[in-house]
DNA sequence: AGGAAGACTTGGAAAAATCTTA
DNA sequence: TAAGATTTTTCCAAGTCTTCCT
């Protein structure tokens, strides 16, 4: 689906960027080439040496690790902090042990029960005796999920009150605990000198630090910006020792330091895969403690819990403070927000420091705020975008946009009436609303140009930003948010043109066009139509509308993940630009309903057909059968309104067929999908069977007759089984869930079949359908890494013809569009320490892998 | 009323991760 | 398997909008 990448539309910014990049690349190449020719001999030596060393390293590594461990153990903890950490670790370990033991007990009890009943639930099967019974102590090896194994999901959207608590000022929590913030690491001096007027000058650490920050902008436009240089020089001079001979910026040569920075960067880039992974793991270990909060007992991921390191401020555009030092944040400028009953977290890594304040505000979504190291404003530490606390207001935002769609007509009628008002303010209000509605301009609050860059939005537009061409064309040219230039020529309503002409009449270039109104006035006007309507909702509405429009051009039920969404430039809303393929940056994603893009939990819903989605929206809420439902129960019965206990899908039916009274006929193939809930845990299984002699004629286009002489149906069923089997071979700790799809599709393609993309495998346990989603096609974007204890299904559906499906009017049955046959196999799998256990394997078969395909097993 | 403070969203740049290609 | 391309994540600047204060 890759469309032409760059169309004829010259996009200035992009072009420039590209040129720049090309230049840079060239330069880089030249540099590296030069370096290579010069040091070729040395490099070769190095490489050879490295090759030798690698082997040695591997051998040594183990030894070293052991040594390190020993050393660590021997070293007496120098600081109290270490002691505390160790204590805490010990405590946590012990707690975990306790928890495990308790779970073990529970499990053992459950198993006893299960034996009595003579049935095993999926979870019980998790504890299969994998170890040889020869061991002296028949120690039960239990694989189970712990908190660390997977991300708990706050399924707030399934609660009755939904996103209610996402409203501004609403209560967000009853209990709330977190571990505080991670302070930026100290600056480590490197003693690389500055060259001043041709002479090497070693700087004291404070000065070296500022100079080193300067090198971080090398290669960026800041390097040559007057304001940035001026401010940097001011900052730098202040930290130079008295009597320093450094007097003139132009005589300063920072290249040694810059080279050092680059070398360090290269060092990082050139780390081996193992080194990178090790460091990542180490970092994760260090930061994990800080990265979660517990909100009402649910673990929620935090966003920016790492405090900003000191650096030269990189204000955008002509920001007057760019180049000044943004100072380090100390605990004394941090206010924590935490539950009354929670422990106040210790200040870590800043001995002798203390929090400025601790508050217990349960109507706000921040966990801490701190003073910016340069600007006068406060900054907030809050939750990650995937958290419920961010998701709820997000949901409300899209609801607002949806409601705006309903009333936009009346708003337009209103302002079209008001733009002829005698009252200038009203006329301005109406005209400004027109621009916000039609062009999705930002509302444009007033700014202090002494402190910030001079940028504008709708209300702050000045005469100099507009040009009028009769009869009714308005040319806009101004710097918007982030000093990004907005240029657009639009034909506007005649009245709007006349109004604007009237507003700017007799005004100076630097005067405001809409001088009689402010953003507050506009928002007040919007409140007449909808209580929570404000100017920015128009942008959400506008962008969502455009996105939907673009999405309508695709068959959405197909591979969402593969598509790059086509979007217009959200700044200009220029539809001609819409033919460009762009990746979804944060900017565009921000305008998308999370059901489309962000929350993994929604993804499956989106991949489902329109009918299924409709049902999901209309139908009863997901039924969670928990431990209080004992015994055995058919999972599908009443699940989201499914009327029967088993899915029966014959011939062209892909899945979710509702059993009825029609008799099966000789030559049919039929899939039976059986799912049970036992003591609160679900298991899922299906197989495709041959009814009598399946001798449908072979289709030579899709069928290799030599390999499978029987019939097309046999070929299809065999292929489906083999696709599942091939993917199962991958199941083991460390495999990415998304890898399975690639194997399945490859197998299908090899056999001339297509893979159904609208339905996927899923996590299973207490929930019939839980995370993760497991698509059966390649290049899918499902998240997650298999770990021991994970339980899920893989259930590829293969079609003889095309992969597209059609939903029957019953709202459930999915059949192939072309009427050709479809087959499916499904099992429930457990990831064990060293591989897989097929939880739904046939009695008496080996559970550690799928048996080879045997058509006799499916002959009826 | 209107300006400042406070709180929260939006969005660009760059780094990191991942995929593709030769 | 390295280089290059593309996507995702991280970081933090810069908006909007509500509430508070005088």
């Amino acid at each position: 689906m890759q469309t032409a990448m760059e169309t004829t539309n010259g996009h200035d910014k992009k072009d420039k960027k590209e040129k720049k990049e090309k230049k840079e690349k060239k330069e880089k190449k030249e540099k590296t080439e030069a370096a290579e020719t010069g040091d070729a001999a040395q490099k070769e030596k190095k490489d050879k040496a490295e090759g030798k060393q690698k082997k040695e390293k591997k051998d040594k590594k183990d030894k070293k690790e052991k040594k390190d461990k020993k050393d660590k153990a021997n070293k007496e903890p120098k600081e109290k902090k270490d002691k505390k950490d160790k204590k805490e670790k010990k405590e946590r370990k012990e707690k975990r042990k306790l928890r495990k033991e308790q779970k073990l007990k529970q499990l053992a009890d459950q198993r006893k029960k299960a034996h009595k009943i003579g049935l095993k639930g999926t979870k019980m099967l998790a504890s299969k005796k994998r170890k040889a019974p020869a061991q002296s102590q028949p120690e039960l090896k239990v694989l189970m999920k712990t908190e660390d194994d997977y991300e708990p999901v706050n399924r707030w959207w399934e609660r009755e009150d939904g996103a209610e608590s996402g409203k501004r000022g609403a209560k967000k929590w009853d209990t709330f605990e977190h571990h505080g913030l991670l302070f930026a690491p100290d600056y480590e001096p490197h003693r690389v000198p500055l060259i001043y007027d041709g002479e090497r000058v070693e700087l004291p650490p404070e000065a070296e630090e500022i100079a080193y920050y300067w090198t971080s902008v090398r290669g960026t436009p800041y390097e040559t910006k007057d304001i940035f240089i001026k401010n940097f020089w001011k900052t730098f001079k202040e930290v130079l020792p008295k009597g320093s001979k450094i007097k003139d910026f132009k005589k300063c040569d920072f290249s040694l330091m810059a080279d050092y920075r680059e070398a360090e960067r290269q060092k990082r880039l050139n780390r081996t895969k193992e080194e990178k992974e090790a460091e990542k793991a180490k970092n994760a270990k260090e930061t994990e403690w800080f990265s979660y909060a517990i909100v009402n007992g649910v673990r929620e991921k935090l966003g920016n819990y790492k405090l900003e390191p000191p650096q030269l401020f990189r204000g955008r555009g002509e920001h007057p403070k760019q180049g000044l030092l943004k100072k380090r944040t100390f605990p004394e400028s941090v206010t924590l927000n935490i539950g009354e009953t929670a422990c106040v977290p210790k200040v870590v890594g800043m001995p002798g420091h203390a929090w400025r304040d601790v508050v217990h505000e349960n109507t706000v979504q921040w966990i801490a705020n701190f003073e910016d190291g340069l600007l006068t404003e406060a900054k907030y530490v809050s939750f990650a975008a995937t958290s419920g606390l961010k998701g709820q207001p997000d949901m409300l935002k899209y609801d607002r946009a949806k409601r705006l769609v309903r009333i936009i007509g009346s708003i337009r009628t209103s302002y079209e009436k008001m733009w002829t008002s005698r009252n200038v303010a009203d006329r301005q209000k109406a005209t400004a609303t027109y621009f916000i509605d039609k062009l999705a301009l930002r509302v444009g609050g007033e700014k202090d140009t002494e402190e910030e860059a001079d940028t504008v939005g709708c209300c702050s537009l000045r005469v100099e930003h507009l040009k009028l061409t009769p009869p009714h064309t308005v040319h806009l040219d101004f710097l918007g948010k982030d000093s990004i230039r907005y240029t657009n020529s639009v034909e506007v309503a005649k009245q709007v043109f006349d109004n604007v002409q009237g507003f700017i009449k007799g005004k100076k270039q630097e005067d405001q066009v809409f001088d009689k109104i402010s953003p507050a006035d506009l928002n007040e006007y919007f409140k007449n139509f909808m209580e929570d309507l404000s100017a920015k909702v128009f942008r959400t509405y506008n962008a969502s509308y455009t996105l939907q429009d673009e999405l309508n051009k695709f068959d959405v039920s197909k591979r969402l993940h593969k598509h790059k969404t086509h979007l217009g430039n959200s700044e200009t809303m220029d539809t001609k630009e819409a033919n460009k393929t762009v990746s979804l940056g944060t900017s565009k994603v921000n305008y998308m309903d999370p059901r489309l893009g962000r929350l993994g939990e929604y993804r499956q819903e989106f991949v489902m057909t329109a009918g299924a989605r409709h049902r999901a929206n209309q139908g009863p809420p997901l039924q969670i059968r928990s431990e209080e439902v004992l015994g055995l129960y058919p999972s599908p019965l009443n699940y989201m309104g499914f009327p029967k206990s088993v899915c029966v899908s014959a011939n062209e039916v892909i899945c979710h067929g509702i059993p009825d009274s029609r008799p099966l006929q000789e030559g049919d193939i039929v899939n039976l999908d059986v799912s049970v809930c036992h003591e609160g845990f679900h298991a899922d299984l299906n197989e495709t069977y041959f009814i009598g002699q399946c001798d449908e004629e072979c289709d030579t286009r899709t069928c290799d007759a030599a390999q499978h002489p029987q019939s097309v149906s046999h070929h299809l069923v065999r292929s489906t089984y083999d696709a599942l089997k091939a993917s199962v071979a991958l199941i083991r700790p460390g495999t990415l869930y998304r890898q399975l799809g690639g194997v399945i599709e490859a197998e299908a393609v090899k056999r001339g079949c297509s893979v159904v993309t609208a339905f996927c495998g899923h996590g299973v346990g207490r929930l019939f359908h839980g995370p993760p989603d497991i698509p059966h096609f390649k290049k899918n974007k499902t998240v997650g890494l298999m770990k021991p204890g994970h339980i899920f299904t893989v259930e590829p559906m293969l079609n003889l013809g095309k992969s597209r499906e059609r939903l029957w009017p019953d709202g459930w049955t999915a059949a192939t569009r072309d009427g050709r046959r479809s087959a499916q196999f499904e099992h429930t799998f457990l990831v064990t320490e060293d591989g897989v256990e097929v939880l739904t394997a046939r009695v008496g078969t080996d559970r550690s892998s799928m048996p080879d395909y045997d058509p006799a097993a499916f002959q009826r």
Side-chain angles (χ1 to χ4, degrees):
Chain A
M1 275 302 308
Q2 299 283 0
T3 50
M5 274 297 286
E6 294 297 326
T7 54
T8 45
N9 288 321
H11 198 266
D12 282 358
K13 209 181 155 193
K14 229 181 178 178
D15 283 352
K16 274 185 192 171
K17 222 184 175 182
E18 276 172 12
K19 275 182 195 171
K20 224 192 197 179
E21 281 168 7
K22 274 183 191 171
K23 257 193 186 175
E24 281 170 8
K25 273 176 198 170
K26 261 192 186 176
E27 282 170 11
K28 266 187 193 173
K29 265 191 186 175
E30 281 165 14
K31 269 184 195 171
T32 47
E33 275 166 17
E36 271 167 20
T37 47
D39 309 333
Q42 278 190 3
K43 261 208 167 179
E44 265 187 30
K45 274 184 194 173
K46 259 190 189 176
D47 290 347
K48 276 183 187 174
E50 272 171 13
K52 278 183 193 171
Q53 279 175 356
K54 265 186 189 173
K55 279 182 190 171
E56 290 170 5
K57 265 186 190 172
K58 272 182 190 172
D59 299 336
K60 278 182 186 175
K61 246 189 184 177
D62 297 347
K63 285 180 190 174
K64 263 188 188 176
E65 274 172 15
K66 277 179 194 173
K67 261 190 184 178
D68 287 352
K69 273 185 190 172
K70 270 188 187 176
D71 288 351
K72 270 186 190 173
N74 290 340
K75 264 185 197 171
E76 279 188 7
K78 282 175 188 173
E79 291 175 17
K80 284 181 185 176
K81 196 181 79 189
D82 289 356
K83 267 189 187 175
K84 280 175 190 171
D85 283 351
K86 277 191 177 174
K87 262 191 184 177
E88 281 170 6
K89 271 186 191 170
K90 264 192 181 177
E91 281 170 13
R92 265 183 278 157
K93 257 193 183 176
E94 278 168 11
K95 272 188 188 172
R96 239 183 262 163
K97 259 194 183 176
L98 253 170
R99 247 188 286 153
K100 269 204 172 176
E101 278 168 13
Q102 283 176 349
K103 278 194 179 175
L104 258 168
K105 263 193 177 179
Q106 276 184 1
L107 261 158
D109 289 347
Q110 282 177 342
R111 187 180 297 117
K112 273 179 199 167
K113 267 190 204 170
H115 262 290
K116 275 181 194 169
I117 305 168
L119 286 162
K120 286 181 180 180
T122 50
K123 186 80 179 189
M124 270 102 244
L125 292 171
S127 52
K128 206 212 152 190
K129 9 72 211 251
R130 185 149 282 286
K131 286 264 165 171
Q135 279 187 343
S136 58
Q137 271 270 331
E139 194 187 314
L140 276 176
K141 189 179 177 189
V142 178
L143 297 166
M144 59 194 155
K145 298 176 192 177
T146 70
E147 201 183 43
D148 302 333
D149 287 329
Y150 68 112
E151 200 60 40
V153 178
N154 176 6
R155 304 178 78 88
W156 50 267
W157 56 89
E158 285 175 2
R159 286 207 313 254
E160 251 178 51
D161 58 348
E164 232 7 61
S165 52
K167 283 190 175 159
R168 229 186 167 109
K171 190 170 88 171
K172 311 262 189 272
W173 46 262
D174 289 309
T175 63
F176 178 37
E177 50 186 296
H178 58 80
H179 297 142
L181 305 179
L182 193 57
F183 289 91
D186 284 335
Y187 175 76
E188 281 179 29
H190 46 59
R191 315 306 261 156
V192 177
L194 171 87
I195 299 177
Y196 185 74
D197 209 7
E199 239 180 89
R200 287 171 159 245
V201 184
E202 235 184 62
L203 299 170
E206 317 82 78
E208 180 200 294
E209 184 178 351
I210 306 296
Y212 194 53
Y213 293 155
W214 165 258
T215 62
S216 77
V217 300
R218 186 162 85 159
T220 71
Y222 290 110
E223 200 182 17
T224 49
K225 264 185 150 178
D226 290 343
I227 317 176
F228 196 93
I229 293 172
K230 195 189 99 200
N231 283 332
F232 158 70
W233 183 242
K234 192 177 147 201
T235 313
F236 186 46
K237 261 196 312 195
E238 279 168 16
V239 289
L240 285 174
K242 272 185 187 173
S244 167
K245 50 188 164 187
I246 300 174
K247 292 268 161 25
D248 184 2
F249 173 76
K250 281 178 192 156
K251 291 183 184 166
C252 293
D253 177 358
F254 298 91
S255 58
L256 287 181
M257 274 188 213
D259 292 347
Y260 174 77
R261 178 183 285 275
E262 182 57 23
E264 290 289 300
R265 203 177 78 95
Q266 287 304 329
K267 236 195 249 172
R268 272 186 67 78
L269 287 174
N270 292 335
R271 286 171 302 168
T272 64
K273 209 177 166 192
E274 291 75 34
E275 285 169 336
K276 280 181 186 168
E277 269 168 17
E279 201 175 321
K280 200 179 158 193
K282 194 181 142 217
N283 281 341
K285 218 175 182 182
E286 282 167 4
T287 57
E288 198 187 13
W289 176 247
F290 297 96
S291 62
Y292 295 95
I294 313 280
V295 184
N296 292 337
V298 176
R299 195 168 74 153
E300 293 268 33
K301 211 167 185 182
L302 295 174
N304 51 336
Y305 57 89
K306 288 179 188 166
L307 281 162
E308 298 169 10
Q311 58 192 276
L312 299 180
F313 177 67
R314 297 191 181 198
R316 313 249 166 86
E318 295 302 300
H319 197 297
K321 288 193 171 175
Q322 59 185 274
L324 290 175
L325 178 69
K326 186 175 72 176
K327 294 196 186 98
R328 176 179 298 279
T329 303
F330 286 95
E332 281 72 16
S333 54
V334 176
T335 302
L336 286 189
N337 187 23
I338 197 164
E340 294 98 316
T341 53
C343 292
V344 174
K346 289 171 201 149
V347 171
V348 177
M350 287 260 181
H353 289 274
W355 307 114
R356 175 164 78 181
D357 198 3
V358 177
V359 298
H360 317 291
E361 300 276 350
N362 69 357
T363 57
V364 294
Q365 58 161 256
W366 49 268
I367 74 151
N369 72 27
F370 60 95
E371 291 163 3
D372 186 273
L374 172 66
L375 310 173
T376 49
E377 64 200 35
K379 283 190 169 166
Y380 294 84
V381 178
S382 192
F383 290 83
T386 45
S387 68
L389 277 102
K390 283 282 187 201
Q392 286 176 313
D394 227 27
M395 179 91 126
L396 295 171
K397 177 181 76 180
Y398 292 107
D399 285 347
R400 266 198 299 278
K402 277 187 207 162
R403 280 183 279 125
L404 173 58
V405 177
R406 286 189 227 137
I407 58 164
I408 189 79
S410 62
I411 296 175
R412 285 173 184 161
T413 315
S414 164
Y415 70 67
E416 283 171 16
K417 197 173 159 195
M418 195 163 77
W419 65 29
T420 52
S421 164
R422 283 189 192 167
N423 182 324
V424 188
D426 279 352
R427 267 202 326 270
Q428 292 197 352
K429 249 187 251 175
T431 313
T433 307
Y434 177 89
F435 281 116
I436 286 170
D437 177 21
K438 296 290 178 194
L439 300 180
L441 297 189
R442 293 190 187 79
V443 69
E446 240 173 84
K447 296 185 76 183
D448 179 358
T449 48
E450 298 281 306
E451 292 281 317
E452 301 161 283
D454 176 22
T455 61
V456 298
C458 186
C459 287
S460 46
L461 277 173
R462 298 192 292 265
V463 178
E464 58 192 319
H465 299 129
L466 294 181
K467 268 194 192 117
L468 303 178
T469 312
H472 48 247
T473 304
V474 177
H475 309 277
L476 290 142
D477 188 348
F478 60 87
L479 292 183
K481 186 185 176 189
D482 294 303
S483 294
I484 288 166
R485 189 172 167 199
Y486 177 102
T487 56
N488 199 3
S489 296
V490 274
E491 287 189 5
V492 299
K494 187 75 179 73
Q495 187 62 48
V496 169
F497 185 85
D498 293 345
N499 281 357
V500 173
Q501 208 161 33
F503 299 150
I504 64 177
K505 202 176 172 187
K507 280 186 190 164
K508 288 181 204 153
Q509 285 291 305
E510 63 272 22
D511 288 342
Q512 285 198 353
V513 179
F514 300 105
D515 57 331
K516 298 278 188 283
I517 56 167
S518 68
D521 297 325
L522 273 187
N523 284 336
E524 196 190 335
Y525 169 57
F526 295 145
K527 299 279 180 287
N528 294 328
F529 306 98
M530 210 171 94
E531 189 193 14
D532 49 359
L533 181 63
S534 65
K536 74 200 266 279
V537 183
F538 283 83
R539 275 176 76 81
T540 312
Y541 149 74
N542 222 307
S544 295
Y545 190 92
T546 310
L547 176 67
Q548 186 61 55
D549 222 37
E550 294 299 323
L551 282 176
N552 286 344
K553 294 174 187 169
F554 294 116
D555 177 359
V556 177
S557 70
K558 274 190 119 190
R559 304 173 185 185
L560 166 74
H561 308 311
K562 197 179 171 186
H563 293 316
K564 290 175 179 174
T565 308
H566 289 235
L567 276 178
N569 183 332
S570 67
E571 279 304 317
T572 59
M573 289 291 158
D574 183 350
T575 50
K576 282 177 200 158
E577 288 282 300
N579 290 327
K580 269 188 185 169
T581 304
V582 294
S583 83
L584 291 177
T586 41
S587 52
K588 275 91 182 180
V589 170
N590 280 337
Y591 284 118
M592 287 168 58
D593 190 305
R595 272 161 287 198
L596 304 187
R598 202 161 61 205
L599 295 177
E601 277 62 43
Y602 286 124
R603 219 172 262 162
Q604 183 177 359
E605 187 184 318
F606 187 68
V607 178
M608 275 159 42
T609 58
R613 247 182 299 139
H614 178 72
R615 257 195 346 271
N617 291 335
Q618 302 295 314
L622 193 67
Q623 290 177 16
I624 300 171
R625 300 194 224 311
S626 57
E627 53 271 81
E628 69 240 27
V629 185
L630 295 176
L632 198 63
Y633 187 87
S635 308
L637 186 60
N638 293 328
Y639 175 76
M640 315 253 296
F642 190 82
K644 302 283 179 178
S645 304
V646 181
C647 295
V648 180
S649 310
N651 300 332
E652 78 275 19
V653 177
I654 297 169
C655 62
H656 300 166
I658 301 171
D660 58 26
S661 55
R662 275 179 304 166
L664 289 168
Q665 293 181 347
E666 177 90 6
D668 282 346
I669 58 168
V670 62
N671 176 280
L672 299 185
D673 192 335
V674 180
S675 316
V676 294
C677 179
H678 179 231
E679 295 198 342
F681 291 95
H682 297 265
D684 208 347
L685 156 76
N686 75 55
E687 288 182 341
T688 302
Y689 303 95
F690 303 105
I691 307 301
Q693 190 85 15
C694 290
D695 52 0
E696 193 184 322
E697 268 308 300
C698 188
D699 184 340
T700 49
R701 283 171 304 174
T702 56
C703 187
D704 180 1
Q707 204 184 358
H708 33 77
Q710 303 100 320
S711 74
V712 170
S713 294
H714 276 276
H715 170 60
L716 173 68
V717 173
R718 176 195 289 271
S719 304
T720 312
Y721 185 92
D722 287 348
L724 175 60
K725 184 172 158 65
S727 68
V728 171
L730 283 188
I731 301 177
R732 71 180 77 91
T735 301
L736 294 166
Y737 279 105
R738 63 166 169 270
Q739 288 175 271
L740 300 185
V743 176
I744 291 168
E745 182 159 347
E747 196 67 25
V749 168
K750 202 167 80 189
R751 317 286 187 100
C753 299
S754 64
V755 181
V756 175
T757 55
F759 304 94
C760 55
H762 51 87
V764 62
R766 285 191 185 277
L767 280 175
F768 185 14
H769 294 118
D773 293 339
I774 300 159
H776 305 117
F777 50 87
K778 65 181 180 183
K779 293 184 193 168
N780 67 76
K781 307 266 173 173
T782 204
V783 290
L785 191 74
M786 293 179 196
K787 289 182 186 174
H790 285 190
I791 300 176
F792 57 89
T793 74
V794 184
E795 42 187 308
M797 287 144 270
L798 264 58
N799 295 354
L800 277 174
K802 296 205 169 132
S803 73
R804 291 187 65 182
E805 79 292 336
R806 173 175 285 139
L807 207 63
W808 285 8
D810 61 24
W812 279 104
T813 311
T816 57
R817 287 201 166 207
D818 53 13
R820 304 198 63 193
R821 292 187 168 190
S822 177
Q824 182 182 19
F825 281 94
E826 172 184 23
H827 278 288
T828 301
F829 303 98
L830 161 74
V831 182
T832 62
E833 298 273 287
D834 53 359
V836 62
E837 180 174 338
V838 188
L839 297 177
T840 44
R842 291 190 177 195
V843 177
T845 58
D846 174 22
R847 291 171 179 274
S848 63
S849 70
M850 300 257 308
D852 284 335
Y853 178 71
D854 173 16
F858 308 114
Q859 187 63 52
R860 294 293 181 269

